[in-house]
Amino acid sequence: MKIVVSFVCGGVLSLALYLLVFDRPVTAPPLEVSQGLAHSYDQLVDSLAQAGDFVESHPWYGSEREQAEAYRHIMRTLVAAIEERFMHDPRFPYFRIINPNNKTGMDNPDQRYLIAILDGSHEYRIWGSRGTSRRLDFVLYEDVTEGRTLGVLSSDDLLVSGDGGFEVIVSPERQPGNWLRSEAVPGKLIVRQTFSDWASEAPGQVHIDRMNMAPGEVPHMNAAVMTQRLQALAAAFGEQVRHWPEFNRTVAGRFPENWLSPLRQVGDLGGLPGRLMALGHYNLEQDEALIITTWPSAAAYQGLQLGHHWWQSLDYADRQTSLTTDQARLSSDGAFHFVIAHRDPGVWNWLDTEGFQRAEMLLRYDGLHPPEIPDEQIPRVEKVPLTELFDHLPKDEPRVSPEQRAEQIAIRRQHVQRRYGN
């Protein structure tokens, strides 16, 4: 028995000695503190605090809903800036995809945007499959706020192989086949896949590579690179979180309420060249409705959307806050009558305000040659009492059942899931 006890005690003492010598906490060596890293991180923290001060003092910081969206605007802008300015490397690019979590700048609900920041001293290859989207357009801008357009490759001019594949070269010198002109300046490439019939159209694959890249060229992360990226993130976030609400206040905000601006080409404002667009904002009481009347056109795509004052689209997956002419129903008088109202009035072309008493309206036409609308088909806007809505529509305007509305929403959600792969 003594032998057993001695053996056990000896084992315990041996284990204790082992733990004492070999498993005790190890003191880490002193960190090499980079003042550049610490300072750049402080800049990012300061920009977040300043963003809160900005939205709280802004005219759009009104209703409880608008206040909540102000902070979602901050968070979405931060996510977008992290993806675009912190994670990216123009020498080894990937596309950033705008989705419901990171959308800014009044994204079109009918488009899948792919964005890459490019170094004008390099050449790039974009490749993939066309898919069945209504349009696939490529525009390269100078990488500054509201930068000038450097090059455009329209969906109308895109060469696609028999199996649906394509290749686009981005370079300063003209190339055979699909070519997008660049310059020796930083650039922002935006690829737009446009969908009109959400029930049937699906995205293709779009990828990007830098050309003439040597294997193993990707550098390791270090303090200098991290400092630069944090500084770029703080600057881009601070600028973008202010830019779009101020753009709305100083441009769209100057228009009368419940009215649409004249159609104009918006390439000079950073939009897609050749596009016609009208802007406006509504302000409706619970018992009011706004009727927007448009007509069929030769445009490849025509769509109307709503967005809130922080200049972001409303929920377009689980609510009907946008419609294209493929999704809408044509009335017996040959026109599309879109109805903006806080409650579902039972018409097919209802646009849900999502509870915003005031918000934005954007109407787009793409693929018009020439980009013109006849005077008799200029969009019209009429505010009416909600109880008198059907007095202002064709007498045979059909009603929509709750089951039909649910089917509309189900199609929307399924398309958005397919579009973003989630």
Side-chain angles (χ1 to χ4, degrees), residues 76-345:
R76 281 174 168 163
T77 304
L78 178 61
V79 172
I82 289 173
E83 292 180 347
E84 191 167 294
R85 300 296 169 178
F86 180 79
M87 298 297 184
H88 89 291
D89 187 332
R91 297 167 299 171
F92 313 99
Y94 294 96
F95 279 116
R96 175 175 86 84
I97 301 176
I98 295 181
N99 61 49
N101 296 324
N102 63 11
K103 60 184 181 180
T104 60
M106 195 60 78
D107 60 307
N108 184 346
D110 300 310
Q111 290 185 332
R112 181 175 185 251
Y113 298 82
L114 300 95
I115 300 175
I117 305 301
L118 306 185
D119 182 339
S121 63
H122 297 295
E123 297 180 349
Y124 298 86
R125 172 179 175 259
I126 308 166
W127 57 280
S129 59
R130 175 65 178 80
T132 57
S133 62
R134 185 60 54 91
R135 294 183 64 83
L136 178 59
D137 297 283
F138 305 78
V139 184
L140 181 63
Y141 303 96
E142 187 177 9
D143 186 26
V144 295
T145 303
E146 299 184 21
R148 61 193 172 95
T149 300
L150 303 178
V152 177
L153 177 60
S154 169
S155 183
D156 303 316
D157 300 322
L158 181 68
L159 302 176
V160 180
S161 64
D163 63 358
F166 69 89
E167 178 183 80
V168 179
I169 303 300
V170 183
S171 65
E173 302 297 329
R174 177 173 289 278
Q175 304 292 324
N178 294 317
W179 172 63
L180 191 62
R181 177 181 175 273
S182 64
E183 294 184 12
V185 297
K188 175 183 280 191
L189 173 64
I190 301 182
V191 182
R192 294 172 171 92
Q193 293 175 302
T194 304
F195 307 93
S196 186
D197 183 352
W198 288 22
S200 63
E201 295 172 2
Q205 297 292 318
V206 185
H207 313 284
I208 185 169
D209 292 303
R210 198 190 90 203
M211 301 177 68
N212 306 313
M213 182 175 67
E217 192 177 339
V218 181
H220 294 294
M221 180 59 67
N222 56 41
V225 173
M226 180 57 68
T227 297
Q228 186 276 328
R229 291 192 180 190
L230 285 170
Q231 290 173 343
L233 169 59
F237 167 74
E239 179 183 28
Q240 290 299 309
V241 81
R242 291 165 173 76
H243 173 73
W244 291 115
E246 283 298 280
F247 172 85
N248 183 18
R249 183 181 65 84
T250 59
V251 178
R254 297 179 301 172
F255 300 142
E257 293 179 343
N258 304 316
W259 179 83
L260 278 176
S261 69
L263 290 165
R264 62 168 294 184
Q265 296 192 57
V266 293
D268 57 337
L269 293 178
L272 186 66
R275 164 180 289 168
L276 288 180
M277 179 182 289
L279 304 176
H281 52 272
Y282 71 81
N283 193 338
L284 296 174
E285 300 296 336
Q286 291 294 320
D287 58 353
E288 295 178 325
L290 202 65
I291 302 174
I292 298 180
T293 300
T294 69
W295 285 263
S297 70
Y301 160 81
Q302 181 177 330
L304 176 66
Q305 77 166 98
L306 303 182
H308 60 64
H309 277 12
W310 300 105
W311 209 245
Q312 294 174 7
S313 62
L314 300 190
D315 178 358
Y316 52 80
D318 296 302
R319 292 178 178 267
Q320 187 165 279
T321 61
S322 68
L323 283 170
T324 70
T325 50
D326 282 282
Q327 298 168 323
R329 283 188 175 173
L330 194 66
S331 295
S332 60
D333 61 355
F336 295 102
H337 301 285
F338 301 97
V339 178
I340 301 173
H342 298 299
R343 303 192 303 275
D344 188 345

Side-chain angles (χ1 to χ4, degrees), residues 320 344-348 350 400-409:
Q320 187 165 279
D344 188 345
V347 295
W348 185 270
W350 172 52
V400 174
S401 69
E403 292 75 21
Q404 289 174 308
R405 186 72 76 207
E407 183 179 358
Q408 277 185 299
I409 302 302

Side-chain angles (χ1 to χ4, degrees), residues 389-408:
L389 173 63
F390 284 91
D391 296 335
H392 297 265
L393 298 174
K395 298 301 182 183
D396 58 351
E397 191 73 15
R399 306 295 180 102
V400 174
S401 69
E403 292 75 21
Q404 289 174 308
R405 186 72 76 207
E407 183 179 358
Q408 277 185 299

